[in-house]
Amino acid sequence: MPVISTPQEFNVDDLYVDLRRLSGHPLYLKCEGFNFAGSIKLKAANEMVSAAVRAGTLREGATLVESSSGNLGVALALVAASRGYRFLCVTDARCNLATRQLMEALGARVHIITEPDPQTGYLGARIRYVEQVCRNDNHVWLNQYANPANWMAHYQSTGPEILKSFPEVDVVFIGAGSTGTLMGCARYFKENKPSVRIVAVDAIGSVTFGTPAQPRMLPGLGTSVRPPLLDESFVDEVLHVAERDTVRACRTLLRHGFLFGGSTGTVLSGATDWLARNRPDGDVTAVAIAPDLGDRYLDTVYHDQWIADIYGADLLDDDIAATDAATLARRMP
């Protein structure tokens, strides 16, 4: 029987969904949303705070500051509450209401950037505000985009967890946001099982891998400023997924009872497309990482009117048609 004294001690690290029936490919989805922060970001949040304490940069009475589109903000709010620090999260208008309310319930202050920087988008504007705030000596910016403790958390946990569950794994699909998860897992596999193919999945419109910036409506994956953590020498391939395909993937999962977040939909869409093109025979063991669950996306990805307003009602028609086709396929002898 697990007994814990702090919320960050608990995380389900060995739960996978077999998506063969849903996707038609041998693909296992690693579920990282079953902890008290609701996402994989709890690992990075706890490790970055612990590293700052060990280094002496985070002292009693200090205020943690971080830029986040949502999940890391919640995770840091939880860790800060548990460890007795104040926390200021700098986010933007794409952060959904439920996430903001959760951070505030945990005791965090939330500052919302309403106007993007003309060159560097919302992320650039958020970082500029963080830098201004941290001119106060009592504020400590963890800087998830450049902090090695971000990727180290996944080098020490997520990568080994996957290899333990699937020693025969051939390919791992990992979403790219701050690239902490991507870099930690990629470094681990390159050192411990270099035959594993590391496929990064990014959103169209993200500049992370040098592609042109475009407007993006969903928080999570993608950046408007290239993360300093990223080292492309550890990445074998990069996939870019349109947000419409993210929505389709999420809502396909929902029709089977699985409520996952937007980042998971992006990774799943990229993974199924890659498998169809590269391993149509199914002779592969593939793992994709699902960073969070979908309850914080009920007013976006899973809200019909929001979908219609942003992407057009035809996407809802596509969703219904795809679901009907899947239902018919299952009924066929």
Side-chain angles (χ1 to χ4, degrees), residues 212-296:
Q214 296 180 29
R216 291 176 291 112
M217 299 303 299
L218 296 175
L221 300 187
T223 65
S224 53
V225 179
R226 180 183 169 93
L229 283 182
L230 178 62
D231 183 343
E232 291 187 58
S233 68
F234 289 93
V235 179
D236 296 303
E237 190 172 348
V238 179
L239 307 176
H240 285 89
V241 174
E243 285 191 343
R244 291 174 65 93
D245 293 327
T246 293
V247 172
R248 287 191 184 96
C250 284
R251 293 169 75 101
T252 297
L253 284 168
L254 184 63
R255 296 298 179 263
H256 295 270
F258 291 110
L259 185 68
F260 283 103
S263 298
T264 298
T266 303
V267 173
L268 176 59
S269 178
T272 52
D273 179 66
W274 188 93
L275 289 168
R277 287 185 290 106
N278 293 279
R279 296 294 179 88
D281 57 0
D283 184 22
V284 64
T285 299
V287 174
I289 296 176
D292 62 1
L293 301 178
D295 52 313
R296 296 172 194 167

Side-chain angles (χ1 to χ4, degrees), residues 10-217:
F10 174 75
N11 185 68
V12 176
D13 59 18
D14 58 355
L15 178 63
Y16 295 80
V17 178
D18 184 346
L19 294 179
R20 188 187 302 264
R21 183 172 65 91
L22 279 69
S23 69
H25 304 285
L27 177 63
Y28 299 93
L29 194 62
K30 188 178 194 303
C31 302
E32 289 282 352
F34 293 99
N35 56 53
F36 285 100
S39 81
I40 196 171
K41 293 293 188 178
L42 183 57
K43 294 175 174 179
N46 193 48
E47 182 59 27
M48 287 193 295
V49 171
S50 297
V53 171
R54 291 193 298 266
T57 57
L58 182 58
R59 299 181 177 88
E60 185 177 350
T63 297
L64 293 167
V65 183
E66 187 54 88
S67 158
S68 170
S69 62
N71 282 336
L72 181 66
V74 171
L76 281 170
L78 181 150
V79 173
S82 172
R83 301 180 70 151
Y85 296 104
R86 293 184 293 271
F87 173 53
L88 167 63
C89 181
V90 180
T91 187
D92 60 58
R94 295 171 300 178
C95 181
N96 60 62
L97 178 61
T99 298
R100 298 199 302 267
Q101 290 176 329
L102 181 52
M103 286 189 280
E104 290 169 342
L106 285 164
R109 287 190 296 125
V110 180
H111 180 84
I112 302 171
I113 299 295
T114 58
E115 293 294 330
D117 182 273
Q119 280 74 48
T120 58
Y122 278 115
L123 178 54
R126 279 165 26 193
I127 291 175
R128 187 171 65 248
Y129 183 84
V130 168
E131 290 173 339
Q132 292 171 356
V133 168
C134 288
R135 291 171 186 165
N136 182 329
D137 290 340
N138 201 38
H139 289 66
V140 177
W141 180 23
L142 294 173
N143 193 0
Q144 62 164 320
Y145 313 105
N147 192 329
N150 185 351
W151 66 258
M152 182 58 72
H154 302 286
Y155 179 92
Q156 295 173 337
S157 62
T158 312
E161 289 161 7
I162 293 172
L163 192 57
K164 178 181 178 181
S165 296
F166 294 94
E168 74 285 7
V169 62
D170 299 303
V171 56
V172 179
F173 299 93
I174 309 168
S178 70
T179 69
T181 305
L182 173 63
M183 286 292 94
C185 290
R187 290 173 185 271
Y188 175 81
F189 280 108
K190 292 303 181 187
E191 292 181 15
N192 293 276
K193 191 174 181 182
S195 63
V196 173
R197 188 166 186 82
I198 300 298
V199 179
V201 186
D202 199 6
I204 289 178
S206 167
V207 306
T208 299
F209 294 95
T211 50
Q214 296 180 29
R216 291 176 291 112
M217 299 303 299

